[in-house]
Amino acid sequence: MLRLENISSFIHTSLSNHLSETSVLLLEMTIIALAAITLFALLGLILVLMERKVSAWIQIRLGPNRVGPKGIFQTAADTLKLVLKEGFVPDGADKFLYKLAPFVVMIIAMILLAPIAFAKNFAIWDLNIGVFFITAISSVSVIGILMAGWASNNQYSLLGAMRSGAQIISYEISAGMAILSIVVLTGSLQISDIVASQSNGWWLFKGHIPALIAFVIYIIAVTAETNRAPFDMAEAESELTGGFHTEYAGMRFALFFLAEYINIFIVCAIGATLFLGGWMPFHIGNWEAFNHIMDYIPSSIWFLSKTFFLIFVIMWFRWTFPRLRIDQLLQLEWKYLLPISLFNLLLITLIAIKGWHF
Amino acid sequence: MEFKDIFFYLIALYILGTALMAVNTRKIFRASIWLLFSLIGVAALYFWLNLEFLAAVQVAVYVGGIVVLIIFSIFLTQKSGNQMAKTETTQTVFSALASLLGLAFLSLVLFQHSFGSDQNQELNASIENIGAQMLNPGEGGFLLPFEAVSMLLLAALVGSIVIAMKVKNKENA
Amino acid sequence: MGTEELIQSIQSMFPDASINMGNNFPELVIEKDSLLSVLNQLKSEPTLAFDYLFCETCVDWKSHLTMVYHLDSTRFRHNLVIKTNLDAQAPEIESACHLYRTAELHEREIFDLFGVKFLNHPHLRRILLTDDWKGHPLRKDYDDPINMIKL
Amino acid sequence: MFEQVSTSENGELVINVGPQHPATHGVLHLLITLNGETVTKLEPNLGYIHRSIEKMCESLSYRQFIYTTSRMDYLSSHINNHACALTVESALQIEIPERAEYIRVIMSELTRMASHQLWWGAMAMDLGALSPFFYAFRERESINDIMEETCGARLTMNYFVPGGVMYDLHPNFVAKVKEFIVFFKSKIDEYDELLTGNIIFQNRMKNIGIISKEDAISYGCTGPTARGSGVSCDIRKIYPYSIYQKLDFDEVIEHGCDSFSRYQVRMKEMRQSLKIIEQLIDNIPKGEFQAKTKAVLKLPKGEFYTRVETARGELGVYIVSEGGTSPYRIKFRSPGFSNLSALEHMVKGHKIGDLVAIMGTLDLVIPDIDR
């Protein structure tokens, strides 16, 4: 069966046989860049279609069903339309920052993709501070939103930007704490180490109830951090018409839209890696035959199915819950999630020191 | 010049260019954005030095934290979109003099210091090492400064809460 | 309290005003200057307690305008209509919105469509039409040859 | 019409909510002043769809003017028509056949339910929950289908005429309504499961948009808006018209005075409407559906006032007749107009998100306000 980890090593060895080290490096960089961009486009198309299908399913509708079989080319057609749309700058806007903002958001989403392990031995850059790198870089994405909101010269945009700023900064702490609890259990920030530590069971199961609490907090916090309903204060279409992207149209809007979905993918991938074992197959204790069958499924499939399960959960939230109010949102973080996650971290540390986990 | 060196000069040029833009623009919001880019450049420099942890801290603290705070304070001041007033000539002269003085001092220190003595010594910047040094109370440890800084931050935190609460009381009365 | 009793008790309260039974409700005709005092008494008198102004409008009779106030009591569930005539040229009357908050928007509408000026109204300005609109459409002498279709 | 300002003198943010805004459900324009996120001032600017229906009616006959009222509060068009028909009938003292009365009440209650369903979906959408909208429309569609079969229209039915109703019921009507009652009874529980019990929803609704009983009366609030504050104001109960006197139903009153009470009132009213229809649907009397009336209606000289309960509150029709074929002056006392006046009182001091939620619970229909 075709496995992703074999492909990368095959490319590397075949290139090294013929070319010098520098040119191999350059060529591989180009290949990775192209692959990443393709992945981006694909993810965008798939996730937008998935969102529409999931929402249609929840809302007793059919969803897109005209373009292509079952409407699978709908997002491609939408993208085409958005590309052809005029991209204008509103009067009185800061032109430079207005045009820059969607790219900032997009580039940050792209950088975040680097340390994610898509399959066994298959990551763009498995750096030794993996999860910390992601926390650090994702804190920058708020700048793009602040920029967009300010540069649009629109009060709704400004309010949306202020909201999302306050929100992302607050929820980053809880998300960080949840990530930290797994780091404490693993003793490493490197993603490959974290995945390897789950070869005998996922942390969600191994870490007892504190890990479960950390997982729930992580899911809530990242839903807020990616500006998804019920925490979509930055957009809040019924209050702020569109929040920070009220004035955006065409491809610039599409970049924001795409970045939102890429961010969802990334946070869900991290969640799957930290709590659900990343590309590790599902094993049950001593059931040798069962474990062998699970091993036969490629690691990339495992990783993607876990990630898409989490994405589905986040989409499910969006189409079920009403939106919180901004002060309730901050209250939830500072009065409930943060104290709980701090206490939870202490518990996890105790578990890690005493070695009570499996 | 090696490939690695070209990269260093590119990063350096980027840091200096964006820093210049930050001080030269007369729109306060843009200045903060240029500062942001400059700080990202510094993080890139750390990455270039293989100091990933430091680079990530640089991004998390300066870019994700301090610049966001600056932008927030710009939002809260009125008329942030307007151009700032042109600086006076005397001010420009004095600041130029001050910068030159700083440059001179820095170059003096740099040229007096002899580099290369510890080039063979491997710098251990792994997270374990950083953590161990941070909590080491003995020789070469950073526990005392670490705790002192955290006390300072706590004091700042409490102080800001007190100030914020005072304003609210006034409004109520 | 039956309608007959209601009419009698109101008549005894305001001997100068004339009260008689209309098609639906008893109608009290008063002088425009006494409007506020009448409304005040009707609202504060515990046996009447007209606390709910459910309709306030104006009728243009060409020679004069008539302000019509429909009052209801949420406690006793009896109704009363108060009418008062205004001058057609410069209609002016005290605003009732300090007694009944609902009058605020209703009076702005009447000001807009009939041109009745309400004294002591907190912000009397046009509500439905644009601020620079000429004339008051619900007046009988209003003419708009473009927008009005004569049947 | 208004000055374009972005900040007030003391640095507060001034925002135009509307006329094009997703939360105003129409072309309502609110000029709000914000201190941070808190609303400090709210001023409605009306008239974007003002058609001067009252002026139009002065040149229409007593048969024609009823049709303009379908366009006022288009979600309770049957009930608006009912009010007009009742005014004309009471002035001319027309006795209408019992069958017509039954049909009218059934139609009115169906309309009330359809209106409340739409409100439920739209209000949930204001709060950011998008799915309830589709669930609400599923039920509303079946009511609209029933209406379409009998009246030929889905929104502006124009079915009630002076003297009765325009046509007889469609043969499928009774069966379909019965089917709908069974269907909707299970769905209304689904509504509660989906939204009412949700903790986010309750936090968004409870103790928000408070208006006391005295204020509600003073602001002239009617309908569920006032009944959520404990004011008994259901015209069907206090000044019964048509055959409501004979029916067994409760006036829903809640005493919470907040958004959640108003929400509860409407939810319970839907059940009461079901109860009313259940009482009537099996015994619609046979006979004429329209009384014999003259071809040209002339009201006697005088003033006539009718009050009915629409889905939004009390609708008053005030006709001043000079004895001609068309009214001399007509005034529609619309429920939305008075309810809107209480909006500032409710919203002041709340966040901008609450403004949207409170507006949702007022259930404003803009053509009803602008007329």
Side-chain angles (χ1 to χ4, degrees):
Chain A
M1 201 169 203
L2 202 65
R3 283 168 193 260
L4 282 177
E5 60 265 31
N6 303 341
I7 299 173
S8 61
S9 53
F10 168 73
I11 292 174
H12 184 73
T13 42
S14 54
L15 280 177
S16 312
N17 288 341
H18 305 287
L19 298 163
S20 69
E21 205 180 326
T22 320
S23 43
V24 167
L25 189 72
L26 281 173
L27 249 173
E28 282 184 352
M29 272 166 76
T30 325
I31 291 171
I32 286 168
L34 285 177
I37 290 169
T38 319
L39 179 74
F40 254 58
L42 269 178
L43 272 181
L45 293 182
I46 292 168
L47 288 174
V48 172
L49 186 73
M50 179 177 164
E51 172 101 292
R52 296 181 68 172
K53 282 290 185 188
V54 167
S55 73
W57 181 56
I58 291 175
Q59 296 173 345
I60 46 171
R61 297 185 285 124
L62 288 175
N65 58 355
R66 295 297 165 94
V67 191
K70 301 246 173 202
I72 54 167
F73 298 125
Q74 182 66 50
T75 37
D78 285 345
T79 317
L80 191 68
K81 178 208 130 194
L82 285 167
V83 170
L84 294 175
K85 242 181 159 178
E86 184 193 352
F88 65 91
V89 182
D91 193 32
D94 191 326
K95 278 205 181 76
F96 172 67
L97 293 180
Y98 178 83
K99 288 180 179 168
L100 187 68
F103 294 102
V104 171
V105 174
M106 197 65 199
I107 287 168
I108 284 158
M110 282 185 143
I111 295 173
L112 284 177
L113 216 56
I116 290 172
F118 288 90
K120 203 174 181 179
N121 301 326
F122 192 84
I124 296 172
W125 185 23
D126 187 23
L127 77 173
N128 59 358
I129 51 155
V131 282
F132 183 53
F133 175 82
I134 285 172
T135 349
I137 299 288
S138 68
S139 68
V140 184
S141 69
V142 63
I143 302 263
I145 290 173
L146 288 174
M147 234 162 135
W150 187 82
S152 297
N153 189 31
N154 177 327
Q155 275 111 336
Y156 286 124
S157 304
L158 190 64
L159 271 178
M162 294 281 272
R163 280 180 173 193
S164 78
Q167 176 185 341
I168 292 177
I169 289 173
S170 318
Y171 277 84
E172 227 163 47
I173 304 170
S174 286
M177 292 284 174
I179 291 175
L180 209 56
S181 49
I182 296 304
V183 171
V184 166
L185 286 173
T186 314
S188 170
L189 291 166
Q190 199 161 4
I191 291 207
S192 54
D193 284 355
I194 292 174
V195 176
S197 72
Q198 301 181 68
S199 58
N200 58 345
W202 303 349
W203 278 121
L204 190 59
F205 305 129
K206 282 206 297 180
H208 303 290
I209 291 167
L212 195 67
I213 296 172
F215 179 65
V216 172
I217 288 176
Y218 179 79
I219 291 291
I220 295 174
V222 297
T223 313
E225 233 189 299
T226 47
N227 281 329
R228 294 278 299 181
F231 308 106
D232 58 342
M233 306 312 305
E235 293 165 44
E237 74 289 329
S238 62
E239 296 157 27
L240 302 181
T241 63
F244 64 93
H245 60 55
T246 305
E247 296 285 355
Y248 282 87
M251 209 50 212
R252 289 202 192 98
F253 165 72
L255 283 181
F256 277 121
F257 199 59
L258 200 58
E260 180 185 324
Y261 285 100
I262 303 295
N263 279 329
I264 293 165
F265 177 81
I266 287 161
V267 295
C268 289
I270 299 294
T273 308
L274 291 175
F275 296 97
L276 304 179
W279 47 260
M280 281 289 175
F282 181 69
H283 284 175
I284 298 177
N286 301 325
W287 297 17
E288 293 296 333
F290 177 80
N291 293 351
H292 268 296
I293 295 167
M294 292 289 124
D295 281 338
Y296 189 70
I297 299 171
S299 57
S300 51
I301 304 268
W302 273 111
F303 171 76
L304 286 177
S305 51
K306 286 169 191 173
T307 308
F308 273 85
F309 169 71
L310 290 184
I311 293 173
F312 172 75
V313 170
I314 284 185
M315 285 179 178
W316 192 2
F317 287 168
R318 168 158 186 184
W319 300 108
T320 312
F321 291 131
R323 182 183 302 120
L324 275 83
R325 204 171 55 220
I326 181 73
D327 56 326
Q328 291 172 343
L329 180 95
L330 296 178
Q331 224 165 47
L332 174 71
E333 162 64 20
W334 293 102
K335 288 196 176 163
Y336 300 101
L337 289 189
L338 187 60
I340 292 172
S341 52
L342 273 172
F343 183 69
N344 195 46
L345 188 62
L346 278 179
L347 269 183
I348 292 229
T349 319
L350 192 70
I351 288 174
I353 292 170
K354 293 276 180 187
W356 283 340
H357 59 82
F358 296 113
Chain B
M1 203 157 24
E2 269 186 61
F3 189 62
K4 217 181 161 192
D5 297 330
I6 299 173
F7 232 77
F8 169 75
Y9 285 112
L10 277 177
I11 294 171
L13 214 66
Y14 169 81
I15 295 172
L16 290 176
T18 47
L20 260 177
M21 291 297 283
V23 291
N24 275 328
T25 181
R26 274 168 58 206
K27 282 184 176 167
I28 187 163
F29 189 78
R30 279 201 189 180
S32 64
I33 296 297
W34 286 121
L35 178 67
L36 164 97
F37 286 139
S38 184
L39 291 171
I40 289 176
V42 175
L45 203 61
Y46 289 139
F47 271 121
W48 182 82
L49 286 167
N50 282 332
L51 300 172
E52 284 98 353
F53 187 77
L54 197 56
V57 169
Q58 163 87 10
V59 172
V61 172
Y62 283 97
V63 181
I66 289 182
V67 172
V68 172
L69 271 184
I70 291 175
I71 290 176
F72 256 88
S73 46
I74 290 171
F75 275 1
L76 293 175
T77 53
Q78 278 176 55
K79 288 164 187 160
S80 49
N82 293 7
Q83 293 217 331
M84 285 185 289
K86 227 175 187 171
T87 43
E88 286 170 37
T89 335
T90 47
Q91 220 177 335
T92 320
V93 171
F94 275 114
S95 47
L97 275 177
S99 325
L100 279 175
L101 203 72
L103 182 70
F105 179 71
L106 208 66
S107 15
L108 194 73
V109 172
L110 281 174
F111 284 119
Q112 273 183 356
H113 189 79
S114 56
F115 292 98
S117 60
D118 48 356
Q119 228 170 20
N120 300 325
Q121 202 181 324
E122 188 75 13
L123 181 64
N124 187 0
S126 70
I127 309 135
E128 288 85 4
N129 195 26
I130 293 171
Q133 283 205 5
M134 197 73 97
L135 294 177
N136 181 10
E139 192 73 17
F142 292 95
L143 185 63
L144 190 67
F146 181 64
E147 289 299 322
V149 166
S150 56
M151 282 304 287
L152 183 73
L153 284 176
L154 185 69
L157 218 66
V158 173
S160 59
I161 289 171
V162 169
I163 290 168
M165 273 168 65
K166 258 184 192 165
V167 171
K168 206 171 186 187
N169 282 342
K170 240 179 229 169
E171 266 174 19
N172 289 347
Chain C
M1 203 183 319
T3 319
E4 287 301 316
E5 288 170 63
L6 179 73
I7 291 175
Q8 271 169 19
S9 65
I10 292 172
Q11 183 72 72
S12 61
M13 269 175 85
F14 311 108
D16 303 341
S18 70
I19 182 163
N20 44 39
M21 192 59 203
N23 281 319
N24 304 89
F25 314 119
E27 292 176 4
L28 178 72
V29 181
I30 57 166
E31 290 297 314
K32 74 164 187 176
D33 296 330
S34 59
L35 175 80
L36 274 191
S37 65
V38 170
L39 287 179
N40 213 347
Q41 283 185 55
L42 287 174
K43 193 181 175 188
S44 51
E45 171 65 42
T47 56
L48 298 174
F50 283 107
D51 53 357
Y52 169 35
L53 176 73
F54 65 89
C55 187
E56 179 180 357
T57 188
C58 185
V59 184
D60 182 13
W61 294 103
K62 289 179 189 143
S63 58
H64 62 275
L65 298 176
T66 302
M67 283 296 298
V68 186
Y69 297 82
H70 287 78
L71 293 176
D72 192 341
S73 163
T74 50
R75 199 185 310 160
F76 303 112
R77 287 296 164 201
H78 47 224
N79 303 307
L80 179 70
V81 177
I82 296 178
K83 288 183 172 178
T84 178
N85 291 336
L86 306 179
D87 182 38
Q89 260 60 51
E92 247 187 20
I93 192 163
E94 280 289 329
S95 164
C97 66
H98 300 290
L99 287 168
Y100 305 101
R101 305 294 301 271
T102 180
E104 198 175 310
L105 282 191
H106 279 99
E107 284 175 359
R108 276 179 69 184
E109 187 187 327
I110 295 166
F111 169 74
D112 194 354
L113 303 176
F114 284 93
V116 178
K117 198 174 164 211
F118 290 92
L119 306 169
N120 298 324
H121 189 282
H123 33 260
L124 192 64
R125 57 180 192 85
R126 285 191 184 267
I127 183 168
L128 293 172
L129 305 175
T130 51
D131 284 342
D132 53 356
W133 193 274
K134 295 268 186 309
H136 303 284
L138 283 183
R139 291 273 197 115
K140 290 289 171 186
D141 56 3
Y142 179 80
D143 195 37
D144 186 344
I146 298 161
N147 293 319
M148 270 166 64
I149 300 158
K150 297 271 162 52
L151 291 172
Chain D
M1 188 170 165
F2 50 88
E3 219 180 319
Q4 280 285 334
V5 281
S6 54
T7 45
S8 69
E9 308 85 59
N10 46 1
E12 290 180 326
L13 207 58
V14 178
I15 289 190
N16 290 300
V17 178
Q20 299 286 327
H21 189 278
T24 55
H25 303 301
V27 280
L28 178 66
H29 174 204
L30 302 171
L31 197 64
I32 59 173
T33 310
L34 291 179
N35 179 7
E37 287 250 351
T38 312
V39 180
T40 56
K41 206 175 143 219
L42 179 145
E43 197 182 328
N45 271 310
L46 309 175
Y48 285 90
I49 41 172
H50 174 60
R51 292 149 295 179
S52 210
I53 285 180
E54 291 171 12
K55 184 80 176 173
M56 276 158 67
C57 290
E58 288 176 12
S59 55
L60 295 175
S61 77
Y62 286 112
R63 284 195 191 281
Q64 292 169 324
F65 90 100
I66 294 177
Y67 306 140
T68 63
T69 59
S70 300
R71 275 108 186 139
M72 277 167 25
D73 178 358
Y74 49 80
L75 291 177
S76 4
S77 53
H78 272 318
I79 310 177
N80 295 351
N81 295 348
H82 199 175
C84 300
L86 279 174
T87 323
V88 174
E89 282 153 12
S90 73
L92 291 172
Q93 311 206 317
I94 301 170
E95 275 289 317
I96 77 159
E98 214 184 358
R99 183 179 174 80
E101 294 275 28
Y102 273 65
I103 295 172
R104 279 182 177 185
V105 171
I106 293 171
M107 284 295 190
S108 296
E109 294 311 314
L110 281 176
T111 313
R112 195 182 312 279
M113 272 196 281
S115 168
H116 283 349
Q117 281 158 6
L118 183 77
W119 154 82
W120 182 76
M123 192 211 54
M125 205 163 68
D126 284 344
L127 289 172
L130 294 163
S131 298
F133 194 70
F134 293 89
Y135 289 79
F137 258 70
R138 175 185 55 192
E139 278 79 68
R140 200 178 123 78
E141 275 305 289
S142 32
I143 292 186
N144 277 349
D145 288 342
I146 295 170
M147 297 282 183
E148 191 184 8
E149 269 187 345
T150 294
C151 318
R154 294 170 72 86
L155 196 67
T156 51
M157 287 83 159
N158 306 327
Y159 182 54
F160 297 1
V161 294
V165 292
M166 199 176 262
Y167 327 99
D168 205 353
L169 290 175
H170 191 272
N172 289 343
F173 182 80
V174 174
K176 279 216 166 179
V177 171
K178 276 184 183 169
E179 204 178 296
F180 171 76
I181 291 171
V182 176
F183 172 66
F184 188 53
K185 267 193 176 160
S186 66
K187 295 304 172 195
I188 194 162
D189 293 333
E190 196 178 293
Y191 286 11
D192 280 338
E193 275 171 35
L194 191 59
L195 203 62
T196 316
N198 188 310
I199 186 151
I200 300 176
F201 177 75
Q202 295 210 349
N203 282 336
R204 286 293 306 270
M205 299 300 267
K206 281 190 176 159
N207 292 320
I208 294 296
I210 289 175
I211 183 161
S212 68
K213 187 176 176 181
E214 288 70 35
D215 283 332
I217 294 169
S218 180
Y219 275 106
C221 295
T222 47
T225 311
R227 288 199 283 280
S229 296
V231 184
S232 157
C233 61
D234 194 333
I235 306 292
R236 293 176 296 173
K237 275 280 178 200
I238 56 177
Y239 302 113
Y241 56 96
S242 200
I243 51 166
Y244 280 111
Q245 213 159 6
K246 291 191 269 177
L247 296 172
D248 171 36
F249 69 100
D250 299 325
E251 179 180 6
V252 184
I253 294 178
E254 292 278 326
H255 297 277
C257 303
D258 55 1
S259 289
F260 194 67
S261 300
R262 296 192 279 277
Y263 172 85
Q264 286 285 44
V265 168
R266 288 202 177 83
M267 295 305 275
K268 287 179 183 166
E269 260 184 23
M270 282 197 261
R271 294 179 198 271
Q272 291 300 327
S273 291
L274 273 179
K275 198 173 160 188
I276 293 175
I277 296 173
E278 273 179 331
Q279 290 169 44
L280 297 176
I281 194 67
D282 277 326
N283 25 11
I284 302 174
K286 297 227 165 5
E288 287 293 308
F289 57 88
Q290 206 183 71
K292 293 266 180 299
T293 47
K294 285 182 193 154
V296 177
L297 297 175
K298 276 190 182 175
L299 257 63
K301 199 167 184 279
E303 295 170 12
F304 307 96
Y305 196 100
T306 313
R307 303 164 80 176
V308 297
E309 181 77 15
T310 74
R312 257 145 223 90
E314 174 183 337
L315 173 74
V317 178
Y318 175 56
I319 295 181
V320 180
S321 168
E322 282 284 82
T325 53
S326 51
Y328 182 76
R329 160 92 176 108
I330 193 157
K331 156 86 182 170
F332 297 109
R333 185 262 183 224
S334 69
F337 191 70
S338 298
N339 288 351
L340 175 72
S341 68
L343 182 61
E344 186 179 7
H345 179 82
M346 294 184 192
V347 167
K348 244 185 195 174
H350 286 306
K351 302 273 181 292
I352 186 170
D354 289 332
L355 162 72
V356 174
I358 293 167
M359 246 166 40
T361 61
L362 286 186
D363 194 13
L364 301 172
V365 167
I366 313 305
D368 183 38
I369 296 166
D370 281 356
R371 278 159 292 144

